[in-house]
Amino acid sequence: MRHLFFSVLATFVIAAGCSSGKKALKKGDYDKAVLQAVNRLRSDTDNENATATLAKAYKFAIDGHKRKINTQLASNDPYKWEKVMREYEAINLLHDEIQKCPACLNLIPAPQLAITELTEAKENAAEARYAMAQVALGNKNNRTQAITAHQHLQRVNQLYPGYKQTSELLDEALFYATLKVVVEPIPAPVRVLQLNQEFFNNKINEYLHRNSVNQYVRFYTPEEVQAENLDWIDHKIVMNFDQFSLGNVISHTEVREVTRDSVLLDKEKKIYGTVKAELKTHRKAIVGSGLLDFQILDANLNKVISQEKFPSEYRWEIVWATYNGDERALSKEQLALVKSTELSIPAPQYMFEEFAAPLYDQAISKINNYYKNY
């Protein structure tokens, strides 16, 4: 809010341009009127409209800020000191702008400055937030209250860095505010194929440890839960590769006759004719497919609270060709296939990793979307 406030005032200064502030004064926008008048008097020290505006607008602006301060001080608003702060900051901004304008100082030789008052208001604002944080932390088992406490303490640090035991309480509040999620390791999908799924586990954990999905959500491995002696966890993420299978190898050969006309057969006699070849195009393919079963469980109730199944498929294919006859009958593309060689079917591990690659993106997207506002 403070940054927004000063941004608005800065916009007034920039937008002042050639304005004397007279229109803003008529509308009762006294701060804007002062800033516009000051800006005009910096470049035109004898401007009558700006001179008249500044004398009136400054008094009205100061009176208005003091009136708002008194109203807030008499209120029961728990955030009143932050509102009082903003009024003192506005008074001080007007002081600073007038100080940088010699012609303005002739009209207002002693613009008001509220340094002590602003400092006291900041301390009182920090104390109010600090007290609210302590109340919110009274029930550590209430995550919502712990989040509220943490946010209050963050604001205390902004208002008054180093205030009391804010740093220690911030750590405590964050611990109780954080939803603790353990990501269970994914078992191997098909043991008879001796597949290794560790790459998938490692990739998921690496992402979750390097990227913040939500400042109030933290992801753990089971080993980290044990190492940190956590008394509880909130959620479990359990993933399994369902129905992963490798299909049979599909082999197919297509035979066709290819011809090309107007081919130079005899260079000396300049004889042209048609050449022919029998082209055999061979295809070999295998498909790995299956599902990733993704579940989020409430660890306390051992109950599934979200579940999705993500499908994936990876097709490996090799194409090559052989021929009999005249090579000149072949196109560039056909010649390229002829130069290709037959490759062996890839190992099951390779097929599994290629099948799992898009599932990683789907799992991470699910985690991000589910926990980003949790």
Side-chain angles (χ1 to χ4, degrees), residues 203-303:
K203 199 174 180 182
I204 291 283
N205 287 324
E206 181 181 1
Y207 177 88
L208 294 176
H209 283 66
R210 287 189 176 183
N211 299 275
S212 176
V213 175
N214 178 337
Q215 70 167 323
Y216 296 120
V217 176
R218 182 179 169 187
F219 299 92
Y220 297 82
T221 64
E223 293 76 17
E224 289 169 335
V225 170
Q226 188 173 14
E228 296 188 23
N229 294 317
L230 291 180
D231 293 331
W232 83 94
I233 58 171
D234 300 292
H235 288 179
K236 289 182 182 179
I237 293 179
V238 179
M239 292 177 278
N240 287 283
F241 291 107
D242 285 356
Q243 305 172 16
F244 175 75
S245 62
L246 289 176
N248 295 325
V249 178
I250 303 168
S251 297
H252 176 72
T253 298
E254 178 187 355
V255 182
R256 57 179 292 210
E257 184 179 77
V258 293
T259 62
R260 178 173 292 182
D261 297 326
S262 302
V263 176
L264 183 61
L265 302 178
D266 190 320
K267 189 175 182 181
E268 292 183 0
K269 296 180 180 181
K270 296 185 178 179
I271 297 174
Y272 292 85
T274 301
V275 293
K276 299 179 180 180
E278 182 186 71
L279 180 70
K280 293 183 178 179
T281 303
H282 311 282
R283 295 177 183 274
K284 186 164 60 174
I286 186 171
V287 176
S289 61
L291 297 170
L292 176 69
D293 180 52
F294 182 101
Q295 297 182 19
I296 300 176
L297 289 79
D298 184 310
N300 297 313
L301 302 176
N302 197 29
K303 177 182 177 182

Side-chain angles (χ1 to χ4, degrees), residues 77-88:
D77 185 347
Y79 303 104
K80 66 182 181 182
W81 286 107
E82 291 175 56
K83 296 176 182 178
V84 168
M85 273 174 50
R86 288 196 286 274
E87 299 304 324
Y88 283 130

Side-chain angles (χ1 to χ4, degrees), residues 286-338:
I286 186 171
V287 176
S289 61
L291 297 170
L292 176 69
D293 180 52
F294 182 101
Q295 297 182 19
I296 300 176
L297 289 79
D298 184 310
N300 297 313
L301 302 176
N302 197 29
K303 177 182 177 182
V304 175
I305 53 179
S306 180
Q307 181 174 20
E308 286 191 51
K309 290 185 180 288
F310 302 120
S312 182
E313 179 179 286
Y314 175 70
R315 179 184 177 88
W316 177 90
E317 184 177 63
I318 181 69
V319 181
W320 75 101
T322 56
Y323 78 98
N324 290 312
D326 196 321
E327 181 182 292
R328 292 174 296 178
L330 305 178
S331 67
K332 289 182 179 179
E333 291 78 10
Q334 291 164 343
L335 280 171
L337 287 177
V338 168

Side-chain angles (χ1 to χ4, degrees), residues 10 56 67 93 96 109 114 117 186 192 194 212 234 250 279 285 288 290 309-310:
K56 293 180 180 178
R67 186 165 54 252
L93 178 64
D96 294 345
E117 295 87 344
I186 305 170
V192 294
Q194 295 183 337
S212 176
D234 300 292
I250 303 168
L279 180 70
K309 290 185 180 288
F310 302 120

Side-chain angles (χ1 to χ4, degrees), residues 116 125 145 154 156 265 270 287 307 317 339 365 373:
T116 302
Q145 286 297 304
Q154 285 181 313
V156 171
L265 302 178
K270 296 185 178 179
V287 176
Q307 181 174 20
E317 184 177 63
K339 292 178 181 179
S365 177
N373 296 316

Side-chain angles (χ1 to χ4, degrees), residues 4 11 42 47 70 84 90 119 123 135 183 201 235-236 254 276 286 308 322 350 366 369:
L4 176 62
T11 301
R42 284 184 182 135
N47 186 279
N70 290 331
V84 168
T119 300
E123 186 171 1
V135 171
V183 182
N201 287 326
H235 288 179
K236 289 182 182 179
E254 178 187 355
K276 299 179 180 180
I286 186 171
E308 286 191 51
T322 56
Y350 173 85
K366 168 69 177 181
N369 290 332

